[in-house]
Amino acid sequence: MRLGVLDVGSNTVHLLVVDAHPGARPLPAHSHKAELKLAQLLDDSGAIGPGGVDKLIAVVRDALRAAEDKGVEDLLPFATSAVREARNADDVLARVRAETGVELTVLTGEEEARLTFLAARRWFGWSAGRLLVLDIGGGSLEIAYGIDEEPDAAVSLPLGAGRLTAARLPGDPPDPDDVRALRRHVRTEIARTVVEFARFGRPDHVVATSKTFKQLARIGGAARSAEGLYVHRELKRTSLEAWVPRLAAMTTAQRARLPGVSEGRAGQILAGALVAEAAMDLFGVEAVEICPWALREGVILRRLDHLAAG
């Protein structure tokens, strides 16, 4: 069957169309995305303003047309931290439902972490042993650990690259004092969670998902996405530590010229790098392997599991 996942994220609204059935690997058939940056459309009260909602509705309509054109049988629409944490989330969801017919499921942060972990587990298999999975989104950082398909621990922290950039790094390039303050904030937040994971012992394999980690790995010399999903890609902490001060000294335009960094995400790659560096350092990780599958694939896999169970 042809499934569509409509992911209303903090950075982008992304429709992923796959051909899938229980017991088989989902095969990507089409990808349609629009950079909306909902996390940066919140007003001073924490609400998504009318203009932001209008843009969201227009983008959802475009995605619905793309899904129809591609013959999607079953659409799985969901929203993450930007909508979840908006003060007027209920009103936003009601308007989207009334004007597009789409009923967005709002995932909790823990659900995001658990579904991303499921995707990573299925990608790497049982031989990977105890997995630690890190995911940096636009609005939040997800961390999950476990040996089965359901993680033993899963947390979500408000440390997304888009959120932190909008709130704490106003300059271009940012003021060094702002960078240091953000570094302290990020490390304090992550350090509070380390003890929750430490009791399970050291992981056998550490993987990272999300566009932020992929771009950081590419900056550090990893293979281009054009070389395919099955090429081994990793991000080393030493590489990241060397790049953070360089990114901090660059303007957004200069970062956008780096290999693998898109113009739309160039402004927030520094915040993402600070979060990635802190997580790897505080968890004692020297390198992470980049996982091609993440939250959207986790949603698809969970749906297929439900279909298989009848």
Side-chain angles (χ1 to χ4, degrees):
M1 67 185 302
R2 180 154 281 193
L3 291 174
V5 175
L6 181 58
D7 175 3
V8 178
S10 298
N11 281 318
T12 61
V13 177
H14 189 170
L15 171 70
L16 175 64
V17 178
V18 300
D19 290 320
H21 60 84
R25 174 174 61 90
L27 297 175
H30 179 68
S31 178
H32 174 93
K33 67 177 70 174
E35 283 198 350
L36 191 56
K37 296 188 176 178
L38 273 178
Q40 298 179 30
L41 295 179
L42 299 177
D43 60 26
D44 292 340
S45 70
I48 301 174
V53 181
D54 290 341
K55 291 178 182 178
L56 172 59
I57 289 170
V59 169
V60 170
R61 283 177 174 153
D62 287 343
L64 284 177
R65 283 191 288 269
E68 182 179 333
D69 289 345
K70 297 301 176 183
V72 169
E73 300 176 51
D74 191 4
L75 184 66
L76 311 174
F78 66 90
T80 57
S81 63
V83 173
R84 179 172 70 235
E85 297 170 13
R87 185 178 57 81
N88 60 335
D90 290 342
D91 293 337
V92 172
L93 295 171
R95 271 201 63 191
V96 171
R97 181 172 58 249
E99 299 191 33
T100 69
V102 171
E103 183 88 39
L104 287 172
T105 297
V106 180
L107 299 180
T108 67
E110 184 177 324
E111 286 172 331
E112 283 191 59
R114 289 181 175 278
L115 288 166
T116 302
F117 183 89
L118 172 64
R121 170 58 74 196
R122 293 280 177 91
W123 180 268
F124 288 106
W126 298 113
S127 63
R130 294 170 295 185
L131 276 181
L132 175 64
V133 179
L134 307 173
D135 180 286
I136 302 171
S140 57
L141 162 69
E142 275 70 51
I143 308 169
Y145 174 100
I147 196 167
D148 298 317
E149 291 198 337
E150 280 292 324
D152 297 310
V155 299
S156 178
L157 303 175
L159 298 176
R163 176 204 296 267
L164 295 177
T165 301
R168 294 176 174 268
L169 294 178
D172 188 21
D175 186 285
D177 289 340
D178 290 336
V179 176
R180 282 193 294 272
L182 177 56
R183 184 179 186 274
R184 286 194 301 271
H185 169 71
V186 166
R187 285 173 175 264
T188 299
E189 290 295 310
I190 294 175
R192 293 185 180 128
T193 72
V194 171
V195 66
E196 181 177 345
F197 292 85
R199 62 193 177 94
F200 295 107
R202 291 194 62 80
D204 299 308
H205 199 55
V206 184
V207 302
T209 70
S210 75
K211 193 70 170 180
T212 294
F213 270 113
K214 290 176 182 177
Q215 291 185 343
L216 291 171
R218 180 74 183 98
I219 292 172
R224 298 173 302 144
S225 59
E227 295 183 36
L229 293 178
Y230 301 106
V231 175
H232 176 85
R233 296 175 177 88
E234 70 173 13
L235 172 63
K236 294 182 178 179
R237 178 150 57 101
T238 53
S239 170
L240 194 52
E241 289 170 344
W243 268 103
V244 165
R246 296 173 65 182
L247 292 171
M250 291 180 179
T251 64
T252 298
Q254 289 171 327
R255 293 181 206 141
R257 292 194 288 270
L258 293 172
V261 178
S262 65
E263 183 177 351
R265 291 176 182 263
Q268 63 186 48
I269 192 69
L270 170 60
L274 288 168
V275 174
E277 180 192 34
M280 292 175 70
D281 184 17
L282 292 169
F283 280 94
V285 175
E286 296 301 323
V288 294
E289 184 172 358
I290 305 302
C291 179
W293 281 3
L295 176 60
R296 284 182 289 275
E297 288 78 11
V299 171
I300 291 168
L301 293 167
R302 180 60 52 81
R303 175 64 170 162
L304 292 175
D305 289 346
H306 288 167
L307 289 174

